[in-house]
Amino acid sequence: MTPPLDRTRRPFSIEEATAVLARTPSTLDALLRGLPVSWTNAHEGGETWSPFDVVGHLIHGEQTDWIPRAKIILVDGDARAFDRFDRLAQFGASAGRTLPDLLDEFATLRDANLRELGSLNLTDEDLGRSGRHPELGLVTLRQLLATWVAHDLGHIVQIARVLARQYSDEVGPWRAYLRIIEGPQG
Amino acid sequence: MTPPLDRTRRPFSIEEATAVLARTPSTLDALLRGLPVSWTNAHEGGETWSPFDVVGHLIHGEQTDWIPRAKIILVDGDARAFDRFDRLAQFGASAGRTLPDLLDEFATLRDANLRELGSLNLTDEDLGRSGRHPELGLVTLRQLLATWVAHDLGHIVQIARVLARQYSDEVGPWRAYLRIIEGPQG
């Protein structure tokens, strides 16, 4: 694999992907644990998600998405489509729970899943194996694992954006300089 | 101050703002420390910034922006415009340094600045005092401090987005689902 010619792309690497994935629970913990509930339950209006909702969604991904789909690829290849992912599962599963409890569960599940990932000792050939996404069609194990990484980071973005927008009015004229507030909602 | 009617806005509070600001160094530490340099030096092309550049920018803000401007408001009100902020200062100041070194410096500066903020014992009247921004004109101390919070969160967004986009190609067909990759650059 040739190194990238610039600083805008990295080739997928299990070691580097694992390094990023391992950091998400502690990043969310540092950002959210102990904040007032009014902040961790904040959202962007309508059906948008709060930080609390997002952590529940990440838990559901650990339980039903990434490693389970990796196993389907390794066992069945593209002969069996992935189960559909329930994007709204957390609204039931997180009801009545606290954010610290969800953060703990996410950290425990992620740690176990990364240990399982490591134990698979995936080869380049394994990473090139195909599975079948119910909507996207053929995808590779490499793409699934790269998406796991980007998905984590996308939800870190979402949580930080939801928090920042609580001060959309309080920042006054600085709003014009703050792309995080002026950008698209939701 | 009346409570907000929904979950999309919080009224500014020194205690809540301090709670968010205090979390930024540990959040960036959890996300970035120990990642390969190829990731922390990654960017979005052209003149866009890497995580390393952003941490240097946050350091410069601690040194020259937030608390120094708060003091100008408290001492001179709007009689003296703020000094202009150098958005490119980090390219000189961070040269030859390591990211762990910058993360340590940012944490130390932030801690000292939050202690100084606390020692000011700001009243609601203080928060309503005006200063003069060299481009935006009249702004209040409350707006300055709310902007400090949103600015931190905006740069957490930026760093997570830069990292995610390293896998823009590796995610394959999932790209269509990943707003963090499909959204605007830079």
Side-chain angles (χ1 to χ4, degrees), chain A residues 174, chain B residues 58-77 80-85 109 112-114 116-117 120 131-132 141 144-145 148:
Chain A
W174 267 290
Chain B
L58 291 171
I59 287 171
H60 194 64
E62 295 305 300
Q63 293 168 326
T64 71
D65 190 336
W66 312 106
I67 290 292
R69 287 182 170 185
K71 288 179 179 171
I72 290 173
I73 293 177
L74 292 171
V75 173
D76 297 309
R80 173 189 161 191
F82 303 146
D83 298 328
R84 282 177 192 276
F85 183 78
L109 290 168
N113 280 333
L114 291 182
E116 183 153 10
L117 180 68
L120 295 174
R132 185 175 302 277
L141 180 54
L144 174 70
L145 299 176
W148 192 5

Side-chain angles (χ1 to χ4, degrees), chain A residues 7-10 12 16 23 30-31 33-34 38-39 41 43 135 161 166 169-170 177 179 186, chain B residues 7 9-10 12 16 23 30-31 33-34 38-39 41 43 135 143 161 166 169-170 177 179 186:
Chain A
R7 291 156 63 191
T8 70
R9 294 291 185 280
R10 291 290 299 163
F12 180 78
E16 294 181 2
R23 282 165 169 74
L31 183 59
R33 191 182 293 263
S38 52
W39 282 82
N41 280 348
H43 67 186
E135 293 168 356
R161 188 184 67 231
Q166 294 293 305
D169 301 326
E170 294 289 9
Y177 289 0
R179 170 176 155 187
Chain B
R7 291 156 63 191
R9 293 291 185 278
R10 290 290 300 162
F12 179 79
E16 293 180 3
R23 282 165 170 74
L31 183 59
R33 191 182 293 263
S38 52
W39 283 81
N41 280 347
H43 67 187
E135 294 168 356
Q143 291 166 345
R161 188 184 68 231
Q166 294 294 305
D169 301 326
E170 295 290 9
Y177 289 180
R179 171 178 155 185

Side-chain angles (χ1 to χ4, degrees), chain A residues 12 14 17 21 61 64-74 82-83 85 117 120 122 126-134 136 138-152, chain B residues 167 169-175 178:
Chain A
F12 180 78
I14 281 277
L21 290 167
T64 70
D65 190 337
W66 312 106
I67 291 291
R69 286 181 170 185
K71 288 180 179 169
I72 290 173
I73 294 177
L74 292 171
F82 303 147
D83 298 328
F85 182 78
L117 180 69
L120 295 173
L122 297 173
D126 291 329
L127 292 172
R129 294 189 64 180
S130 289
R132 184 174 303 277
H133 186 283
L136 297 171
L138 287 184
V139 291
T140 65
L141 180 54
R142 179 182 281 105
Q143 290 165 346
L144 174 71
L145 299 177
T147 300
W148 192 6
V149 172
H151 177 269
D152 265 26
Chain B
Y167 279 172
D169 301 326
E170 295 290 9
V171 298
W174 267 290
R175 184 177 174 127
L178 293 166

Side-chain angles (χ1 to χ4, degrees), chain A residues 54-68:
Chain A
V54 171
V55 178
H57 165 75
L58 292 171
I59 286 172
H60 194 63
E62 296 304 301
Q63 293 168 326
T64 70
D65 190 337
W66 312 106
I67 291 291

Side-chain angles (χ1 to χ4, degrees), chain A residues 31-183:
Chain A
L31 183 59
L32 297 175
R33 191 182 293 263
L35 277 187
V37 170
S38 52
W39 282 82
T40 57
N41 280 348
H43 67 186
E44 295 171 274
E47 301 297 308
T48 62
W49 295 359
S50 69
F52 180 84
D53 298 331
V54 171
V55 178
H57 165 75
L58 292 171
I59 286 172
H60 194 63
E62 296 304 301
Q63 293 168 326
T64 70
D65 190 337
W66 312 106
I67 291 291
R69 286 181 170 185
K71 288 180 179 169
I72 290 173
I73 294 177
L74 292 171
V75 172
D76 297 307
D78 60 15
R80 172 188 161 191
F82 303 147
D83 298 328
R84 282 177 191 275
F85 182 78
D86 181 357
R87 287 186 70 259
L88 303 178
Q90 71 273 16
F91 291 102
S94 301
R97 299 180 61 186
T98 66
L99 181 66
D101 180 31
L102 296 183
L103 288 167
D104 287 342
E105 183 176 11
F106 176 54
T108 300
L109 290 168
R110 173 59 56 91
D111 182 59
N113 280 331
L114 291 182
R115 279 187 280 111
E116 183 153 10
L117 180 69
S119 75
L120 295 173
N121 290 310
L122 297 173
T123 63
D124 258 6
E125 187 184 340
D126 291 329
L127 292 172
R129 294 189 64 180
S130 289
R132 184 174 303 277
H133 186 283
E135 293 168 356
L136 297 171
L138 287 184
V139 291
T140 65
L141 180 54
R142 179 182 281 105
Q143 290 165 346
L144 174 71
L145 299 177
T147 300
W148 192 6
V149 172
H151 177 269
D152 265 26
L153 293 164
H155 284 298
I156 293 171
V157 164
Q158 178 181 24
I159 288 171
R161 188 184 67 231
V162 169
L163 297 175
R165 287 181 173 178
Q166 294 293 305
Y167 279 173
S168 295
D169 301 326
E170 294 289 9
V171 298
W174 267 290
R175 184 177 174 128
Y177 289 0
L178 292 166
R179 170 176 155 187
I180 189 174
I181 289 175
E182 286 291 85

